[in-house]
Amino acid sequence: MGGIGSGRKPKPAAIKLLEGNPGKRDIPDEIKPAGVAEMPERFQGNGEHAELCRHMWSQVVPELTRLGLATSLDQAALEQLCEWYATLRQAQLDLDYQLAGRAFDKWQGLAARFGFSPVDRAKLAGLGSKPQEISTTQRYLA
């Protein structure tokens, strides 16, 4: 039945911390790569595709790095995220809806890995402004 790799994929510790660890379980230590993701040279070129890739990279990667969600190990996935974004935008402009749909599915799958699907964004949105709730037991013991 269930073997290795079955079930839900584990959520990264950085996302658990940003969500406030609602389950209150111990968060295991994770491997923290030392390097940061760097914009690939091909995004520096001329042309609309490279410009769209550059735009996506500059919008997303600095914030993901700040949150601890993007490292040098994520380089290839981040590059693909930008490539699929550029493909999606170009397909929309060319009215190629079949390619746009496929590109969106690929982009969305990669985006979810970094915690910025609409559902993940909603979970993380109010964390800085919400006061921490205190349980009845905690109030009693305080």
Side-chain angles (χ1 to χ4, degrees):
M1 291 220 175
I4 295 175
S6 64
R8 286 187 181 182
K9 293 179 183 175
K11 190 178 287 189
I15 291 179
K16 287 181 187 179
L17 291 171
L18 288 171
E19 290 176 343
N21 193 16
K24 306 301 182 219
R25 294 186 178 140
D26 288 340
I27 298 175
D29 291 334
E30 290 183 339
I31 297 171
K32 291 285 185 184
V36 295
E38 295 182 15
M39 187 182 297
E41 287 184 28
R42 70 178 184 277
F43 291 179
Q44 303 299 334
N46 295 328
E48 188 176 350
H49 190 82
E51 184 178 326
L52 289 166
C53 288
R54 219 175 18 254
H55 171 75
M56 184 64 170
W57 186 279
S58 63
Q59 290 252 312
V60 170
V61 175
E63 185 67 11
L64 290 174
T65 302
R66 186 184 70 77
L67 294 171
L69 300 175
T71 67
S72 58
L73 292 180
D74 303 308
Q75 180 80 32
L78 291 167
E79 288 178 26
Q80 286 301 306
L81 181 81
C82 296
E83 292 280 358
W84 282 114
Y85 170 79
T87 302
L88 168 64
R89 299 297 295 156
Q90 286 178 324
Q92 289 173 328
L93 292 172
D94 296 341
L95 303 178
D96 185 347
Y97 299 115
Q98 186 174 7
L99 177 59
R102 193 168 64 240
F104 178 76
D105 290 342
K106 297 284 189 179
W107 179 86
Q108 188 177 37
L110 287 164
R113 289 184 181 184
F114 293 102
F116 62 95
S117 68
V119 172
D120 292 330
R121 198 168 43 253
K123 288 180 186 176
L124 301 176
L127 291 178
S129 60
K130 266 197 323 195
Q132 196 71 319
E133 293 181 21
I134 300 173
S135 70
T136 306
T137 307
Q138 289 172 327
R139 267 188 257 140
Y140 177 75
L141 295 174

